[in-house]
Amino acid sequence: MKTPFPIHPIPAAAAALVLAGSLFAATAVSAAEAAPVSKLGAQAKRGLYLVSTAGCHDCHTPFKMGPKGPEPDMSRALSGHPQDLQMPPAPKLPEGPWVVVSAGTNTAHAGPWGTSFTANLTPDHETGLGQWTQKDFIATFRTGRHMGRGREVLPPMPIPVYNNFVDADLAAIYAYLRTIPAISNRVPEPLPPAQPMAAAK
């Protein structure tokens, strides 16, 4: 059966990095975020719990190589794709059963939709969620669009899954994200799918 778009294998190293990152994320997050919990209100505490269990750090916190392998760089927690990491064009891969290739930081992903970069979720006013209202945040999950009215939110962000959060959960996540350190980090705009070269005449 033919697929509606070409699907490609993911390099083994990238696949291993993503898997290893997920395994180490929970330990790194709990250790780094345990101290300020006592200062959070009940709603933000609920948000911390949801952020820590919903895999937000797995993509929105850049990975670095640690003593046990890839781990979230908590000095850049939830700041998205590093602005100083200029990605080369995504590799052209042969057809196969895989559909995506990911950067070693797990913050840039390329597939049939083009290349997407994970957003800065910190409350930085210029480059993060500082200008977002709670209404904007919830609307993003309900519509699958940036701030509920802009461009489409692209894979691998699991909007259909996170849309199952009730409004109170999304409000709690928003409340928690307002409490984390603001990091100035301007994430690049997504890139469209590479256009195939026209056949020579």
Side-chain angles (χ1 to χ4, degrees):
M1 184 172 101
K2 285 212 149 218
T3 56
F5 46 77
I7 48 181
H8 310 294
I10 184 171
L17 181 60
V18 172
L19 182 59
S22 297
L23 295 175
F24 287 110
T27 302
V29 171
S30 60
E33 295 185 344
V37 172
S38 61
K39 298 180 181 178
L40 298 177
Q43 186 184 42
K45 282 182 182 178
R46 171 72 178 166
L48 167 59
Y49 165 75
L50 293 169
V51 164
S52 300
T53 56
C56 300
H57 286 279
D58 290 352
C59 289
H60 289 274
T61 297
F63 281 84
K64 64 179 182 179
M65 193 59 67
K68 297 181 179 179
E71 63 184 26
D73 180 357
M74 296 309 292
S75 70
R76 299 188 287 179
L78 300 172
S79 62
H81 181 77
Q83 64 183 14
D84 56 349
L85 177 57
Q86 301 295 317
M87 297 299 295
K92 183 177 180 181
L93 303 175
E95 289 191 24
W98 297 96
V99 70
V100 64
V101 61
S102 297
T105 54
N106 210 33
T107 58
H109 309 274
W113 63 88
T115 302
S116 51
F117 303 93
T118 55
N120 182 348
L121 303 183
T122 77
D124 184 70
H125 191 72
E126 297 300 323
T127 66
L129 300 184
Q131 298 184 45
W132 287 47
T133 65
Q134 178 180 290
K135 182 179 177 181
D136 294 332
F137 188 77
I138 292 175
T140 298
F141 293 88
R142 297 291 175 246
T143 66
R145 294 196 168 274
H146 188 76
M147 300 182 83
R149 56 190 179 273
R151 64 165 176 79
E152 187 178 4
V153 177
L154 298 172
M157 182 66 176
I159 288 290
V161 175
Y162 291 165
N163 192 28
N164 291 305
F165 281 127
V166 297
D167 283 0
D169 284 342
L170 292 173
I173 292 170
Y174 175 82
Y176 170 66
L177 293 176
R178 306 297 284 183
T179 72
I180 66 177
I183 298 175
S184 178
N185 179 56
R186 192 171 299 281
V187 173
E189 289 296 313
L191 303 173
Q195 298 299 315
M197 295 182 65
K201 292 185 178 179

